[in-house]
Amino acid sequence: KAGVTQTPRYLIKTRGQQVTLSCSPISGHRSVSWYQQTPGQGLQFLFEYFSETQRNKGNFPGRFSGRQFSNSRSEMNVSTLELGDSALYLCASSLEGSDTQYFGPGTRLTVL
Amino acid sequence: AQSVAQPEDQVNVAEGNPLTVKCTYSVSGNPYLFWYVQYPNRGLQFLLKYITGDNLVKGSYGFEAEFNKSQTSFHLKKPSALVSDSALYFCAVRGKGTAGNNRKLIWGLGTSLAVNP
């Protein structure tokens, strides 16, 4: 099976812009979680989707949003970008009922 | 509140020596515990998990971890380190339950392991 894929791998944006990141989970995985990884804060949970519904949400401002499609693919959007949004954004998928998450390679976002 | 601590930012060991990467946790009830590894410019890879049963859990690439309930620890170990084990290691925990915040994984900040030839 193909692993979790994330596009794009790298993005450079300027402050105030918005960005959309995409994640395709492993086939058959209906749960998708998003994380922000920065050197100082480690992995911070953004949200989890299952069957097109947000099941869990982390402590991020409303500028961060996401959605999941019927084929389990997920997108996250960040509006009004700030310098502090520069990070590696990781997507992980899992089977329903399983605790093991499978991560994609991440999207490296740089905000200038 | 649930939390995970990885007390060492960096661990250095010589190739062939045993390695230990430490993790302690705080969670209400019985925990689910995980170790993941991240190689440069890659996503995280699952190594092993403890859900219930034997306190010694064996995982990928020769790694194992020991669950110690009294010390609330879940240290990662390997009897003989390889240079290729050099990477960033993350411990994660969540409380048992499938709804609400109990389902979220709480992550440590990571420990950078350097294995010297």
Side-chain angles (χ1 to χ4, degrees):
Chain A
K1 281 185 180 178
V4 178
T5 58
Q6 293 187 245
T7 56
R9 292 293 309 277
Y10 302 92
L11 265 179
I12 299 176
K13 293 285 188 180
T14 56
R15 280 180 299 173
Q17 287 187 308
Q18 76 164 19
V19 67
T20 299
L21 312 182
S22 181
C23 171
S24 292
I26 292 172
S27 177
H29 288 194
R30 293 196 292 161
S31 173
V32 174
S33 297
W34 287 90
Y35 295 89
Q36 181 193 66
Q37 184 181 14
T38 57
Q41 298 294 320
L43 265 77
Q44 300 290 310
F45 173 76
L46 281 155
F47 22 68
E48 178 195 7
Y49 286 88
F50 178 78
S51 290
E52 303 178 66
T53 300
Q54 189 179 87
R55 187 155 66 173
N56 240 316
K57 189 177 189 303
N59 297 322
F60 278 81
R63 300 186 297 109
F64 292 80
S65 62
R67 59 178 176 169
Q68 186 179 33
F69 302 95
S70 59
N71 62 358
S72 296
R73 190 176 70 84
S74 178
E75 290 181 346
M76 67 163 282
N77 185 77
V78 188
S79 62
T80 321
L81 283 166
E82 301 177 358
L83 295 179
D85 297 333
S86 295
L88 180 67
Y89 289 88
L90 293 165
C91 166
S93 73
S94 61
L95 283 167
E96 173 61 359
S98 172
D99 296 287
T100 303
Q101 295 191 331
Y102 295 86
F103 284 79
T107 294
R108 173 75 62 185
L109 173 64
T110 302
V111 182
L112 303 176
Chain B
Q2 299 178 113
S3 65
V4 176
Q6 292 182 242
E8 301 157 316
D9 291 338
Q10 178 145 352
V11 170
N12 294 294
V13 298
E15 187 173 31
N17 282 2
L19 70 86
T20 299
V21 182
K22 295 180 180 177
C23 173
T24 58
Y25 66 90
S26 173
V27 66
S28 55
N30 294 319
Y32 288 178
L33 293 154
F34 304 83
W35 276 103
Y36 283 79
V37 60
Q38 186 177 33
Y39 298 99
N41 300 314
R42 303 274 296 276
L44 278 70
Q45 295 178 35
F46 170 76
L47 276 179
L48 51 80
K49 67 182 177 183
Y50 171 83
I51 304 298
T52 187
D54 194 351
N55 289 346
L56 185 63
V57 179
K58 294 190 182 297
S60 306
Y61 312 122
F63 284 93
E64 59 189 26
E66 186 167 12
F67 170 61
N68 187 317
K69 188 171 184 177
S70 63
Q71 297 185 3
T72 61
S73 67
F74 190 56
H75 301 331
L76 182 70
K77 301 182 180 185
K78 187 173 183 181
S80 180
L82 301 171
V83 172
S84 58
D85 293 329
S86 299
L88 192 56
Y89 290 80
F90 290 93
C91 180
V93 66
R94 77 168 177 88
K96 289 188 178 176
T98 59
N101 283 336
N102 235 8
R103 185 180 165 77
K104 288 192 305 186
L105 279 178
I106 306 300
W107 295 81
L109 293 180
T111 297
S112 179
L113 173 66
V115 181
N116 307 305

